[in-house]
Amino acid sequence: MKQMMMILMIAIGVSSVGFGQSKMSKDDKVKEQIIALEKAGWEAWKNKNAAWYQTNVTDDFLLVNSEAVSTKEEVVKSTATDCDVKSYSLDNFKFVMLDKNTALMTYTAMQDGVCNGKTIPAQVRASVNYVRRNGKWLEAFYMETPKAQ
């Protein structure tokens, strides 16, 4: 009887651990995927890889920063030549699904680089919209604002 009780208690303990672990929600999976895409975009920018932008942003993509409002064509053209990025880091991600095919994300970025001969702001707050088109998440809009010092 004691052995049976011990087995039952172990089974209950193991099952409660399993039930305590929740599966990742669909929104969490999308969030992970989009954060990975965003990090890949920063890596592409650092490495002057314009091909990433060619395949991972919408045709009607817009980038807004303190210098200009740029189209996909302008970003693809300038990525290979305009900036020398030494380093960057991204954190403090906030994520909202606006609908099943549209996501909004904000985060802060630390960056060390020069674009067109000018030192870029060391800290920015970024806002990004991703849309799902033909089953693929694409960046549709990116805006950054220098963080107040």
Side-chain angles (χ1 to χ4, degrees):
M1 182 72 170
K2 285 184 180 184
Q3 187 177 20
M4 181 71 104
M5 193 63 134
M6 180 73 93
I7 291 170
L8 182 59
M9 289 178 64
I10 290 171
I12 290 171
V14 169
S15 67
S16 66
V17 169
F19 288 122
Q21 297 174 351
S22 63
K23 291 184 178 181
M24 187 179 288
S25 75
K26 189 174 182 178
D27 285 358
D28 287 338
K29 288 178 185 177
V30 170
K31 179 181 178 180
E32 264 187 12
Q33 185 179 8
I34 289 175
I35 288 173
L37 279 168
E38 191 64 14
K39 288 178 178 180
W42 277 76
E43 196 64 18
W45 176 58
K46 180 180 180 238
N47 295 324
K48 301 182 181 207
N49 177 6
W52 186 91
Y53 295 93
Q54 193 65 45
T55 59
N56 290 288
V57 303
T58 62
D59 289 338
D60 52 354
F61 171 79
L62 291 174
L63 178 145
V64 180
N65 62 22
S66 62
E67 297 295 315
V69 175
S70 303
T71 64
K72 175 181 181 173
E73 181 181 326
E74 293 165 331
V75 170
V76 168
K77 182 179 176 185
S78 69
T79 296
T81 59
D82 289 359
C83 298
D84 290 310
V85 182
K86 293 179 187 173
S87 65
Y88 69 89
S89 65
L90 313 176
D91 70 2
N92 198 28
F93 290 95
K94 306 247 188 289
F95 186 84
V96 177
M97 289 296 298
L98 300 176
D99 64 35
K100 69 180 185 170
N101 293 310
T102 311
L104 168 66
M105 183 170 64
T106 66
Y107 57 91
T108 53
M110 299 286 294
Q111 54 189 8
D112 181 10
V114 174
C115 292
N116 297 316
K118 296 179 185 176
T119 301
I120 57 177
Q123 297 180 38
V124 296
R125 296 186 194 278
S127 302
V128 188
N129 280 104
Y130 275 83
V131 294
R132 186 174 15 219
R133 294 191 179 159
N134 299 317
K136 182 177 178 178
W137 285 102
L138 300 170
E139 189 169 342
F141 178 78
Y142 174 88
M143 181 176 182
E144 67 180 33
T145 305
K147 193 173 175 183
Q149 298 302 319

